[in-house]
Amino acid sequence: MKSQPVFALAHLLGFDLMPRIRNWKGLTFCRPSKQAEYVHIDALFGESGKNVIDWELVESQFRHLMRVAVSVREGAISSSTLLKRLRSGSRKNATYTAFREVGRVIRTVQLLRYLSDAPLRRRVTAATNKVESFNRFSQWLGFGNRGVIADNDPAEQEKTMKFNALLTNAVIFHNALDIAEIARQLLEEGWEVAPEGLAHISPYLTEHINRFGEYSTHELGIQPEAYETTLDVDFTPLREQDPAAAGFGQAT
């Protein structure tokens, strides 16, 4: 339910949102009308006459939907803020409900495309794997404080995320240069390097990276001097001192 406005906003902004579908059991396709029935896939749409799109609501709220989309495109409101409001929006709100209806339409179309197009499924899976690998690599580099952003200031949070993204891209660039250099060396030695083979090499390599730096350990072999249990101090004058003069006299 919460993902439906996301499909709507992506469509209004001109994006073709195609997430990878892991679990189909909880997904219900939407019918364009109560009379719509399908020979081989009607079970995907649930009970006959149910899960029908409210086109009249979409038409009545179309102007508001476009106004919101233009506001996001022009930067008057961020997409994250809008989606947060839509996710927490009341179903009694007509604009929210219209976003949900458009999202149901777009999601149903995308699910049908995903179901019927095997090459599309492979492209979506490959793209999603790359994104997930990048996120894991970025989290691996952001190991400080276990990757938790503890600051409550949004500006500091954004700064931390941007610094982490900058570091991640810098390491990826360095890895790509190393991979290219090794490929050139192999070619000079007479090895055959096929583009298909290079395509399987990921720039998210971590084995050669020392996140914690290098530390000198030559002092580990130095033996410390023996520990002296007694101090070369004569405490006799302190023991013989009058307790009252030392400030430990009895209270009067």
Side-chain angles (χ1 to χ4, degrees):
M1 181 67 71
K2 293 182 178 180
S3 66
Q4 292 167 355
V6 180
F7 278 92
L9 181 60
H11 177 73
L12 293 175
L13 293 176
F15 297 107
D16 195 12
L17 185 61
M18 288 296 299
R20 179 172 54 187
I21 309 300
R22 293 182 180 273
N23 188 359
W24 292 81
K25 294 181 180 179
L27 299 179
T28 301
F29 293 47
C30 297
R31 301 177 187 272
S33 66
K34 292 183 178 181
Q35 295 76 26
E37 294 183 357
Y38 304 95
V39 177
H40 301 292
I41 60 173
D42 196 67
L44 296 174
F45 295 82
E47 187 179 347
S48 180
K50 299 292 184 66
N51 304 314
V52 180
I53 300 299
D54 189 349
W55 297 106
E56 293 183 358
L57 174 64
V58 174
E59 183 178 1
S60 66
Q61 294 294 317
F62 181 77
R63 184 182 300 273
H64 297 289
L65 297 179
M66 296 305 299
R67 183 182 294 113
V68 171
V70 171
S71 298
V72 173
R73 184 180 294 275
E74 297 299 323
I77 182 174
S78 67
S79 57
S80 58
T81 301
L82 175 63
L83 290 175
K84 185 181 298 184
R85 293 180 181 178
L86 290 175
R87 286 169 180 166
S88 60
S90 171
R91 295 188 180 184
K92 297 180 180 179
N93 184 285
T95 302
Y96 165 79
T97 308
F99 258 103
R100 186 195 64 187
E101 288 300 296
V102 174
R104 294 172 69 193
V105 175
I106 303 303
R107 193 184 72 167
T108 298
V109 173
Q110 300 296 56
L111 290 175
L112 289 171
R113 289 178 57 197
Y114 191 88
L115 183 63
S116 61
D117 192 339
L120 176 63
R121 291 198 298 273
R122 287 193 292 268
R123 292 198 303 271
V124 170
T125 300
T128 306
N129 288 339
K130 291 179 181 178
V131 173
E132 292 176 348
S133 298
F134 176 86
N135 290 336
R136 286 194 298 269
F137 184 70
S138 178
Q139 292 174 0
W140 185 84
L141 289 174
F143 62 89
N145 199 28
R146 297 182 179 179
V148 177
I149 302 178
D151 202 307
N152 292 326
D153 186 357
E156 292 299 322
Q157 293 176 355
E158 183 178 6
K159 187 186 301 182
T160 301
M161 295 175 63
K162 287 185 176 180
F163 285 165
N164 180 250
L166 177 62
L167 174 63
T168 302
N169 284 283
V171 177
I172 290 174
F173 180 69
H174 190 280
N175 285 343
L177 291 179
D178 288 345
I179 293 172
E181 180 61 26
I182 293 174
R184 280 193 290 267
Q185 293 177 5
L186 291 174
L187 289 173
E188 292 176 356
E189 294 174 3
W191 294 85
E192 181 180 355
V193 180
E196 295 78 8
L198 288 176
H200 290 282
I201 301 178
S202 170
Y204 309 134
L205 304 176
T206 59
E207 291 82 359
H208 64 299
I209 300 176
N210 185 357
R211 293 184 297 177
F212 304 103
E214 296 180 354
Y215 300 88
S216 175
T217 59
H218 70 281
E219 295 182 355
L220 295 178
I222 301 177
Q223 294 292 331
E225 296 181 1
Y227 177 68
E228 180 61 47
T229 59
T230 61
L231 295 176
D232 189 16
V233 177
D234 186 6
F235 291 99
T236 303
L238 294 177
R239 298 191 188 98
E240 296 177 350
Q241 187 177 6
D242 182 54
F248 297 100
Q250 294 181 353
T252 57

